[in-house]
Structures are given as structure tokens and as C-alpha cells.
Amino acid sequence: MAIVHVTRELPGDALQRIPAAGHKLVVHPGTMPPTPAELRRVAADADALITTLADRVNAELLDAAPRLKVVANYAVGTDNIDVQAAHRRDIAVGVTPDVLTDATADLAMTLLLAVARQVPVAARAVIDGAWTTWDPSGYLGLGLRDARLLIVGAGRIGRATGERAAAFGMQVTYAGRDADLHALLPDADVVSLHVPLSPQTRKLIGEQELAAMKPGALLVNTARGGLVDQDALVDALERGHLGGAGLDVMTPEPLPPHDPLLALPNVLVLPHIGSATVAARHRMTELAVENVLAALDGDPLPNPAKG
Ligand code: DGY
């Protein structure tokens, strides 16, 4: 009987397939992820781990897990896992692709629409009692028809976001892996990020890239906070060079309560909910379980991580 540790309670019924297959299922209790020390403790007897992006799976943890065969990440991203260190130890790493593509693209559009139409500012005015009358010149935003959207990352979620934006009449350009970002940024009214976080993409959008963006342009990030130099972003927003930002991801998560991003007017910060639809999260549980059961049967993972 294999032991499968899951670091959080997961939506749906699919975890029950683990005991049904004759394995022991242990779910970390409570609403917070395990601390690194707790994770090391449970890893000691684990044959399989189901982790979330809040769990750091590094070489030290893997060394504390002599029986481990698979880490099934409950995410499409793997930046919380040292995938190469796992592979060097013959530990498979699984991900949950495709099933969250639509949910994440929907949320990118939600953020895009919100900051394009000054929703954070307008909603705050209503709550604060600052909305005194209908104002012909108040809260004027960007109309999406013919506005230019630069999608950085031409993978599944980037393409799905581009399809949605095109249906709103936006002119969509994709910046793939080898694109010259600096040549593309000045033309965009909105830049939306859809690349994985890696050593190559960390701070992909820094001071120079933000300066290259059109004055008043908007930034949307549903990928990973580490893609953006956040101090430079705050500076560009405070100076009014950027017109706003819609952020589902940031560094750290959650932001401290007095983080300057939270005080900026046309900035919408969400608690990393890109994949948070009932259907997507249920399917993610199924995919994570399928990765675990395949590894415990000695089969290749249906959805392995790259690298
Ligand atoms: C992912 O899958 O990488 C998301 O950020 C969480 O769903």
C-alpha cells in the first residue's frame, strides 16, 4: 500500500480514487498549507505528494523523501518545484494543463475589461461616497474595439485570451519565445502576460520594458508575479506612465496589507483565482490523481511537467 500525502483539501471527489485503488490517503488538515518543516515530515514516508503552488518542493525536501515516486502539482505551472532535482532522483513531476485554460483566459479578460474601464476607481468612488452625480467626463476608459493587445506568451492560455480579446474587436499580437519585446511594447494599449516563470523570464517586465510601454497603457498579469519587477511597476503607475494594472498574481502572495500596489487608483489585485471555477478545479483534482495513480502503477504520467 502506497502513502499519498495531499497538502490541501481539494475540490471534487477524485481524491477518493486513491483509497479506492488500495492506497493510503492523507490530507493536510486546515486552511493553510503545511510549513516547510511539516512538509518535510510528511514527505518522509510519502510515495506520492500532491502539492499546490504554495508548497516549495526543492532538493532539500526531495532528500527528505526516500520513497517518493511522484510529485503531482495542482497547477499548470511548476515554478514551486525544482523539476530537474526531482528528475535526477527519478521522481516524476505532474501538472494539470488544459483544464484551466478557459478559466484563466476568462479571468485575464475580466482584469483587462476592469482596468480598461476604470472599474477599480469607479467602484471605490461608489463605496467611498465620492460618486455625487452622473459625470459626462468621469471614469473615461479605453474602448476595446481596435485597441491593441500584446499577448506575451503564445501558449494555450495566451491564445485563449487572444481569441476572447479578438471577439471584443481588439487587434491582437502575440510575442512568442523569440519575439523582440522591445519592438512590440510601444504599440500596445494593453500588455497581458502568459509565460511560465523561469530563471529566463524572471522580471521579464522591468524598468526598461515598462518605460517602453505606451503612456497610459495597461498591464494584465494572470501568470506569475515574478515576471514583473514590482517596484518598477509601482513606480510606473505612481508616475502615471501606466494607466492601470490588473494583477491576479504578485510577489509575495498575499501582499502585505500596506503594499503600495493596494493604494494605487486604477489597480485591481485579485487573490490568484485564475483557475478558480468549479469545473476547472474539479478537473485539476482529477488530473492530479491520475498522475499519482499512473506513477504508483509504474506507468508514465498522463500529464508530465516539461524539463
Ligand atoms: C497554475 O495552474 O499554475 C495556476 O496559477 C493555479 O491554478
Side-chain angles (χ1 to χ4, degrees):
M1 182 182 61
I3 302 179
V4 182
H5 281 280
V6 187
T7 62
R8 298 296 294 280
E9 194 63 68
L10 300 178
D13 302 329
L15 283 181
Q16 294 318 316
R17 289 171 57 189
I18 292 169
H23 306 301
K24 181 174 172 192
L25 172 68
V26 187
V27 181
H28 180 73
T31 52
M32 292 299 285
T35 63
E38 284 170 334
L39 191 54
R40 264 198 311 280
R41 216 168 19 255
V42 300
D45 71 352
D47 298 278
L49 282 177
I50 299 183
T51 51
T52 75
L53 49 83
D55 305 310
R56 195 131 301 282
V57 181
N58 53 20
E60 191 190 351
L61 178 77
L62 297 169
D63 284 339
R67 295 165 51 155
L68 196 60
K69 294 184 185 59
V70 58
V71 179
N73 212 28
Y74 188 71
V76 69
T78 53
D79 48 290
N80 59 310
I81 298 180
D82 187 338
V83 177
Q84 287 176 1
H87 287 169
R88 278 198 298 275
R89 290 162 178 77
D90 279 331
I91 297 168
V93 179
V95 286
T96 61
D98 299 317
V99 297
L100 46 66
T101 298
D102 286 330
T104 309
D106 287 352
L107 196 82
M109 282 309 293
T110 305
L111 289 168
L112 193 165
L113 282 159
V115 292
R117 295 301 300 273
Q118 303 274 339
V119 167
V121 181
R124 173 57 47 199
V126 175
I127 291 167
D128 290 349
W131 178 39
T132 49
T133 181
W134 187 83
D135 181 356
S137 308
Y139 316 112
L140 302 187
L142 172 76
L144 296 195
R145 180 160 306 282
D146 295 329
R148 291 168 185 267
L149 170 64
L150 176 64
I151 302 249
V152 181
R156 289 172 287 230
I157 299 173
R159 297 257 166 215
T161 304
E163 281 165 20
R164 285 157 173 74
F168 278 84
M170 295 190 86
Q171 295 181 32
V172 181
T173 302
Y174 294 94
R177 217 181 290 273
D178 300 320
D180 179 357
L181 211 47
H182 279 264
L184 297 169
L185 285 168
D187 276 342
D189 297 297
V190 185
V191 175
S192 187
L193 305 181
H194 301 278
V195 289
L197 179 61
S198 68
Q200 293 73 38
T201 61
R202 188 169 289 281
K203 297 200 176 168
L204 181 70
I205 302 297
E207 199 181 325
Q208 288 178 10
E209 291 71 25
L210 292 163
M213 284 170 70
K214 196 188 260 191
L218 309 169
L219 181 71
V220 172
N221 190 3
T222 51
R224 286 294 183 269
L227 298 174
V228 177
D229 178 338
Q230 213 158 276
D231 292 338
L233 174 63
V234 168
D235 183 58
L237 288 160
E238 278 176 347
R239 283 187 294 106
H241 174 60
L242 287 197
L247 308 173
D248 187 42
V249 289
M250 66 233 65
T251 313
E253 292 180 9
L255 286 176
H258 298 297
D259 191 278
L261 268 180
L262 300 176
L264 285 163
N266 196 28
V267 174
L268 182 54
V269 178
L270 298 179
H272 203 146
I273 56 171
S275 64
T277 67
V278 174
R281 290 281 169 88
H282 282 221
R283 288 288 291 129
M284 287 167 69
T285 308
E286 287 167 15
L287 264 52
V289 168
E290 283 160 16
N291 277 332
V292 164
L293 293 179
L296 295 180
D297 281 347
D299 293 333
L301 304 197
N303 287 293
K306 291 203 191 90

